[in-house]
């Protein structure tokens, strides 16, 4: 029995068909086992980027992706993506090679206190034995990982592997071809009427609002009737009953007493699925106009209270279907509450459409991009202003576009790497809308010998973190504001050449329209850099707030 055979056994019995490997010495036995297993292996040098690449792959496949790194700070560089995966409920299996216990705190190289290093942001943690006398313990750890992923909330699982020298003694003993996939959760289709029956409430006399939060893998689908309204976060990849609801809520709340103006939309009953919401307008609206009842439909009991409404959790298996009634949607919506939402959003849409959408600024650029993205494409959105723009503009007519955004923690780090990971496995084109700070922060996403050619990046370069000049509060910073906005004058032209991407820069409407055609028609990875001024972006955004 030796180290390699034990690690071979562990790797063979782990679920997942893809592995992202970062180079190192201490993880050499893990690299060898993964390479000789049935899993598809991908090499990414930078561990921080590698973990986000794995995140993008796992989001696409809805199956766990394995990460492998050496000991020491390499493992710490995984942490941002692990935190994102924890809150976004994305399955990852992290294999960190480690020094043996007797080497920790002895001033030995690459030896840190690695056991339990991710303990606050993982679903389970295991440490393999530091003696390699029996493969049974390694097989049992893999089986426990499988059980966790089949029965618990999806998320990252850590396996720390202490490895003693010598470890460059390779063999394939213990390697088996075992097709282990994580069980897919059952799809639940749940109507407002079935929830009414379950709760004992008469929804005919109630204003019912249903909201689909960010996709958490549970695949719970809500169905409205004539007395209820469905709103969906853009990361839920489900449709809404009304157009431009997020833009309407934000614009209304930007005006004096705007929150009180929305009182007619206050629900009596709120029904939710998924997790978080991009829309700050919806959060503020429901925190101010609290419903009498909030029911969250989930198979799990770890539910955030983002609306401050103390939700009651209902397991979908407990809800029994009911027969169709005259309230089922079969044509025009007639309920008073439905009409209140329809009237307010339609009136807003009339005013919204009268803005000068032919002008050149970020908001108008994204409006045009959304109209040009192929219906079967995958759209990634970095954090900061891009997801807000897209949420304001992605109306209920726009479907068949899969939208991804790292909203578990909502950090700017790793947005490009996540899109790269998705594109590496996707047949469809993968578009990324990103700001300049997020893009330059994650440059190593492009440091990839297998950079996918279906990656299409729309880079919004306003020369700074423009969001801090759009939202209220930072204007009080005075001369210290530049520490938030971090002004810069860089472009991506030389980066594109360095990493082998096609490139086009646009600073006018005409050049931008030409660039979109080039981007869509390109057969290789492409960066369209949209250069705008902070002043024009801010001016149009102020017009939007006053609609």
């Amino acid at each position: 029995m030796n180290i390699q055979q034990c690690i071979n056994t562990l790797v063979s019995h782990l679920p997942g068909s893809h592995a992202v490997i970062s180079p190192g010495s201490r993880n050499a036995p893990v690299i060898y086992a993964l390479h000789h297993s049935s899993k598809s292996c991908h090499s990414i040098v930078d561990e921080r980027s590698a973990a986000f690449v794995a995140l993008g792959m796992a989001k696409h496949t809805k199956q766990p992706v394995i990460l492998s790194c050496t000991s020491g700070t390499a493992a710490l560089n995984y942490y941002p993506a692990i935190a994102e995966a924890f809150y976004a409920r994305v399955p990852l299996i992290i294999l960190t090679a480690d020094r043996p216990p007797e080497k920790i705190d002895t001033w030995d190289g690459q030896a840190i206190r690695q056991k339990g290093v991710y303990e606050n942001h993982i679903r389970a943690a295991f440490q393999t034995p530091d003696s390699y006398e029996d493969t049974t313990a390694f097989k049992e750890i893999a089986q426990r990982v499988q059980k966790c992923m089949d029965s618990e909330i999806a998320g990252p699982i850590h396996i720390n592997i202490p490895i003693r020298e010598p470890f460059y003694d390779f063999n394939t003993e213990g390697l088996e071809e075992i097709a282990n996939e994580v069980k897919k959760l059952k799809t639940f289709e749940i109507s407002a009427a079935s929830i009414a029956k379950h709760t004992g409430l008469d929804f005919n006399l109630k204003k019912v609002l249903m909201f689909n939060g960010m996709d958490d893998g549970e695949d719970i689908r809500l169905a409205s009737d004539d007395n209820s309204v469905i709103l969906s976060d853009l990361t839920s990849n489900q449709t809404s009953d009304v157009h431009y609801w997020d833009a309407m809520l934000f614009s209304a709340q930007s005006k004096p007493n705007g929150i009180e103006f929305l009182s007619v939309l206050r629900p009596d009953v709120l029904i939710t699925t998924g997790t978080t919401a991009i829309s700050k307008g919806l959060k503020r609206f429901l925190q101010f106009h609290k419903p009498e009842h909030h029911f969250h439909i989930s198979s799990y009991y770890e539910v955030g209270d983002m609306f401050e409404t103390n939700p009651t959790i209902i397991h979908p298996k407990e809800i029994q279907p009911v027969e169709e009634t005259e309230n089922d949607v079969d044509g025009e919506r007639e309920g008073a509450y439905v009409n209140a939402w329809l009237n307010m959003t339609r009136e807003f849409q009339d005013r919204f459409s009268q803005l000068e959408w032919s002008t050149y600024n970020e908001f108008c650029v994204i409006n045009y991009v959304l109209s040009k993205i192929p219906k079967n494409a995958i759209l990634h959105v970095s954090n900061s202003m891009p997801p807000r723009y897209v949420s304001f503009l992605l109306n209920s007519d726009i479907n068949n576009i899969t939208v991804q955004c790292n909203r578990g923690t909502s950090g700017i780090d790793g947005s490009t790497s996540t899109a790269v990971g998705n594109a590496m496995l996707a047949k469809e084109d993968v578009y990324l809308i990103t700001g300049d700070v997020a893009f330059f922060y994650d440059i190593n996403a492009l440091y990839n010998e297998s950079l996918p050619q279906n990656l299409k990046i729309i880079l919004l370069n306003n020369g700074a973190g423009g969001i801090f000049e759009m939202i209220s509060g930072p204007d009080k910073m005075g001369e210290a504001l530049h520490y938030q906005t971090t002004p810069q004058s860089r472009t991506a032209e030389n980066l594109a050449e360095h990493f082998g991407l096609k490139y086009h820069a646009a600073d006018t409407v005409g050049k931008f329209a030409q660039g979109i055609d080039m981007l869509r028609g390109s057969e290789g990875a492409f960066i369209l850099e949209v250069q705008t001024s902070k002043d024009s972006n801010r001016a149009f955004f102020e017009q939007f707030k006053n609609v």
Side-chain angles (χ1 to χ4, degrees):
M1 197 67 61
N2 60 24
I3 291 173
Q4 192 63 58
Q5 186 175 350
C6 291
I7 292 177
N8 289 347
T9 301
L10 172 70
V11 166
S12 292
H13 287 84
L14 287 174
S17 57
H18 291 274
V20 177
I21 300 170
S22 292
S25 180
R26 190 63 50 161
N27 62 330
V30 182
I31 294 173
Y32 187 89
L34 288 168
H35 175 71
H36 287 87
S37 73
S38 60
K39 304 181 191 302
S40 298
C41 296
H42 312 269
S43 175
I44 304 291
V45 173
D46 178 357
E47 288 88 2
R48 188 189 59 79
S49 176
F52 279 106
V53 167
L55 182 83
M57 291 179 171
K59 283 188 171 188
H60 181 71
T61 62
K62 300 189 182 299
Q63 288 290 318
V65 173
I66 296 171
L67 280 161
S68 168
C69 72
T70 192
S71 63
T73 54
L76 300 181
N77 283 319
Y78 279 163
Y79 213 141
I82 288 171
E84 174 63 29
F86 178 81
Y87 288 108
R89 301 184 175 182
V90 178
L92 296 176
I93 300 172
I94 303 101
L95 306 182
T96 54
D98 197 2
R99 271 9 188 209
E102 66 271 14
K103 291 294 186 179
I104 306 303
D105 291 334
T106 65
W107 298 355
D108 201 32
Q110 291 182 286
I112 67 172
R113 299 170 188 175
Q114 203 165 291
K115 182 180 179 180
V117 70
Y118 312 123
E119 64 179 348
N120 288 326
H121 298 96
I122 49 171
R123 294 298 171 190
F126 303 94
Q127 173 127 333
T128 62
D130 56 79
S131 61
Y132 293 82
E133 299 170 354
D134 185 2
T135 61
T136 303
F138 291 81
K139 181 177 179 180
E140 288 177 349
I141 287 174
Q143 290 171 336
R144 291 171 67 186
V145 169
Q146 178 82 47
K147 184 177 180 181
C148 285
M149 291 199 157
D150 281 339
S151 59
E152 303 294 334
I153 297 173
I157 292 179
H158 179 208
I159 304 175
N160 195 49
I161 309 172
I163 300 175
R164 284 189 183 85
E165 298 179 18
F167 48 77
Y168 283 102
D169 182 15
F170 303 123
N171 62 75
T172 57
E173 294 179 44
L175 282 175
E176 302 177 60
E177 288 196 22
I178 302 171
N180 288 338
E181 284 198 350
V182 172
K183 293 179 182 177
K184 294 181 180 179
L185 293 174
K186 178 183 176 182
T187 298
F188 289 95
E189 296 184 0
I190 298 173
S191 67
S194 64
I195 298 172
K197 181 179 179 180
H198 179 82
T199 60
L201 295 174
D202 185 356
F203 282 9
N204 288 317
L205 303 175
K206 302 288 186 181
K207 295 182 287 184
V208 181
L209 181 63
M210 309 174 88
F211 175 70
N212 292 305
M214 183 172 71
D215 180 15
D216 59 358
E218 289 201 58
D219 203 13
I220 297 171
R221 302 184 178 275
L222 300 176
S224 57
D225 58 25
D226 281 353
N227 297 314
S228 60
V229 174
I230 292 181
L231 307 180
S232 295
D233 188 84
L234 71 90
T235 58
S236 72
N237 289 300
Q238 298 195 50
T239 57
S240 300
D241 286 336
V242 294
H243 301 311
Y244 301 109
W245 60 268
D246 188 19
M248 183 274 291
L249 290 174
F250 181 85
S251 178
Q253 293 173 42
S254 299
K255 303 177 180 64
N257 303 315
I259 194 75
E260 289 88 352
F261 173 73
L262 296 170
S263 61
V264 67
L265 303 180
R266 175 189 175 273
D268 299 314
V269 178
L270 174 65
I271 299 167
T272 56
T273 69
T275 58
T276 190
I278 287 175
S279 174
K280 284 192 173 182
L282 182 67
K283 292 177 184 176
R284 291 170 181 159
F285 166 67
L286 289 171
Q287 288 165 1
F288 189 88
H289 297 293
K290 295 185 185 295
E292 295 174 21
H293 307 278
H294 178 186
F295 303 111
H296 186 82
I297 316 302
S298 177
S299 301
Y300 307 109
Y301 292 89
E302 188 178 300
V303 175
D305 190 9
M306 63 180 167
F307 301 126
E308 301 173 2
T309 47
N310 191 26
T312 298
I313 303 167
I314 304 176
H315 196 293
K317 288 183 178 178
E318 299 174 0
I319 302 171
Q320 300 300 315
V322 298
E323 294 182 3
E324 292 188 6
T325 71
E326 64 273 11
N327 288 329
D328 285 321
V329 178
D330 54 9
E332 291 295 320
R333 309 292 296 279
E334 298 177 353
Y337 186 57
V338 173
N339 283 329
W341 273 97
L342 289 172
N343 290 337
M344 289 193 71
T345 51
R346 284 169 180 166
E347 290 173 6
F348 170 80
Q349 186 176 348
D350 288 342
R351 302 191 301 274
F352 193 45
S353 63
Q354 292 174 18
L355 290 172
E356 293 293 332
W357 290 103
S358 60
T359 55
Y360 189 67
N361 56 73
E362 289 179 345
F363 212 152
C364 294
V365 161
I366 291 184
N367 185 49
Y368 189 77
V369 166
L370 292 177
S371 71
K372 293 295 183 179
I373 290 179
K375 294 303 181 185
N376 63 343
I378 298 169
L379 173 63
H380 278 250
V381 188
S382 74
N383 280 301
S384 195
M385 280 306 293
R388 291 169 170 81
Y389 288 136
V390 175
S391 185
F392 293 148
L393 291 165
L394 200 64
N395 64 70
S396 59
D397 278 341
I398 300 177
N399 51 27
N400 299 323
I401 297 176
T402 300
V403 181
Q404 299 283 5
C405 184
N406 288 345
R407 296 301 291 185
T409 59
S410 303
I412 65 166
D413 48 345
S415 298
T416 309
S417 294
T418 306
V420 167
N422 192 335
M424 288 172 71
L425 301 186
K427 295 179 180 179
E428 305 89 343
D429 284 339
V430 174
Y431 288 76
L432 168 66
I433 299 175
T434 180
D436 52 351
V437 177
F439 176 79
F440 290 122
Y441 191 98
D442 195 21
I443 289 172
N444 270 4
L446 306 179
Y447 180 23
N448 182 337
E449 292 302 314
S450 301
L451 190 70
Q453 296 304 294
N454 57 338
L455 178 68
K456 301 178 185 297
I457 299 172
I458 297 112
L459 167 57
L460 306 176
N461 192 345
N462 56 37
I467 187 173
F468 296 110
E469 296 186 1
M470 303 279 226
I471 61 177
S472 59
D475 57 311
K476 301 174 184 177
M477 291 284 289
E479 293 182 357
L481 179 62
H482 75 279
Y483 292 107
Q484 284 189 308
T485 59
T486 57
Q488 54 83 25
S489 57
R490 298 173 181 84
T491 74
E493 183 174 8
N494 291 335
L495 279 173
E497 181 180 1
H498 181 68
F499 289 113
L501 287 83
K502 298 177 182 179
Y503 174 84
H504 179 81
D507 58 5
T508 65
V509 171
K511 289 180 181 179
F512 165 66
Q514 180 187 10
I516 282 290
D517 290 339
M518 294 169 64
L519 181 82
R520 289 192 58 183
S522 172
E523 294 183 356
F526 198 106
I527 297 175
L528 170 58
E529 183 164 7
V530 181
Q531 299 162 348
T532 61
S533 75
K534 292 180 290 183
D535 291 341
S536 62
N537 295 334
R538 186 169 56 248
F540 191 88
F541 196 71
E542 288 300 316
Q543 293 175 32
F544 157 63
K545 288 163 64 175
N546 292 320
V547 165

